[in-house]
């Protein structure tokens, strides 16, 4: 709701300031012509970024699990009774190389996830802004429509008066035909009942 709406009665005199206000509302609606498309695009980007962030989080968690598992395997290998006699040192070296490789990935994975989380915040704000613009446009359309209808109702042309009378006549005709239809249906039912009596 706008402050303007509270100040203006749509039954007031339709004068130059009224039309200027109406024209301003229409210009604002035109300026917001792409608001719905912008909102859809912002939501799509947010959805894509959310998916990417979830994948990054999964990769980071997978990395953490791999590091924990490798540390556990190294500890088991070092504490194994076969460590010194059955190539345990070589196995530990291989596991440590894998551990260093996984630990080397950790920083990049955390950074990637952090960047995506920051991007999500920005995109969430963009979606909120786009939603506000769509709501503003809808309010402007409603307001300008009310203004237009008020102007038409308060100063109808001869053609409009003629059309209003014609519409009222058509409504009366429809009501009359509906009443006649109901009466004819009743007569039809009575005829069927009468035939059944013979």
């Amino acid at each position: 709701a706008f402050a303007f709406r509270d100040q203006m009665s749509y039954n007031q005199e339709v004068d130059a300031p009224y039309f200027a206000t109406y024209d301003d509302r229409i210009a604002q609606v035109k300026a917001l012509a792409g608001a719905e498309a912008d909102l859809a695009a912002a939501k799509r980007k947010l959805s894509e970024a959310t998916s990417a962030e979830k994948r990054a989080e999964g990769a980071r968690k997978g990395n953490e699990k791999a590091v924990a598992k490798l540390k556990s395997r190294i500890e088991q290998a070092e504490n194994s009774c076969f460590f010194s006699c059955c190539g345990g040192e070589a196995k530990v070296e291989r596991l440590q190389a894998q551990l260093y490789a996984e630990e080397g990935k950790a920083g990049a994975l955390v950074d990637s996830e952090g960047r995506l989380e920051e991007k999500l915040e920005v995109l969430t704000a963009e979606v909120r802004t786009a939603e506000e613009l769509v709501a503003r446009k809808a309010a402007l359309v409603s307001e300008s429509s009310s203004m237009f209808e008020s102007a038409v109702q308060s100063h109808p042309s001869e053609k409009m008066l003629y059309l209003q009378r014609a519409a009222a006549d058509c409504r009366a005709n429809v009501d009359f035909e509906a009443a006649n239809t109901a009466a004819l249906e009743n007569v039809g039912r009575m005829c069927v009942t009468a035939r059944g009596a013979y």
Side-chain angles (χ1 to χ4, degrees), residues 6-181:
D6 297 334
Q7 295 169 2
M8 177 170 273
S9 164
Y10 289 119
N11 292 323
Q12 77 174 32
E13 185 176 339
V14 179
D15 54 8
Y18 187 88
F19 281 110
T21 301
Y22 174 79
D23 290 342
D24 175 64
R25 298 305 183 262
I26 295 299
Q28 289 182 52
V29 168
K30 287 180 181 177
L32 294 170
E36 291 85 359
D38 292 345
L39 176 59
K43 285 183 174 182
R44 182 185 42 76
K45 287 179 186 176
L46 179 61
S47 175
E48 291 169 358
T50 300
S51 296
E53 192 276 334
K54 287 187 187 307
R55 287 191 302 273
E57 180 183 16
R60 178 190 51 81
K61 287 181 178 180
N63 176 263
E64 289 171 353
K65 286 180 183 177
V67 166
K69 185 175 181 180
L70 287 168
K71 285 181 179 180
S72 174
R73 289 181 66 199
I74 290 169
E75 185 179 327
Q76 287 175 353
E78 289 175 338
N79 294 325
S80 170
C81 58
F82 300 112
F83 179 71
S84 58
C85 68
C86 299
E89 290 178 15
K91 181 176 182 177
V92 168
E93 287 177 13
R94 284 192 311 275
L95 290 172
Q96 284 180 333
Q98 291 174 10
L99 175 63
Y100 296 142
E102 288 295 326
E103 287 176 335
K105 296 177 190 176
L109 291 171
V110 169
D111 289 346
S112 174
E113 185 179 7
R115 283 191 303 276
L116 286 168
E117 287 172 350
E118 290 172 5
K119 185 176 181 179
L120 282 177
E121 290 177 15
V122 170
L123 291 174
T124 299
E126 287 179 11
V127 167
R128 272 195 304 271
T129 299
E131 287 172 339
E132 290 169 2
L133 291 175
V134 167
R136 171 112 173 107
K137 180 181 175 185
L140 288 166
V141 166
S142 175
E143 185 175 11
S144 60
S145 295
S146 295
M147 291 179 75
F148 181 84
E149 289 301 319
S150 176
V152 169
Q153 292 299 322
S154 63
H155 301 293
S157 66
E158 286 300 316
K159 182 74 171 176
M160 178 59 79
L161 291 172
Y162 169 78
L163 291 172
Q164 288 172 340
R165 283 190 298 271
D169 290 345
C170 287
R171 279 192 295 276
N173 289 339
V174 167
D175 292 342
F176 176 77
E177 292 300 327
N180 285 340
T181 300

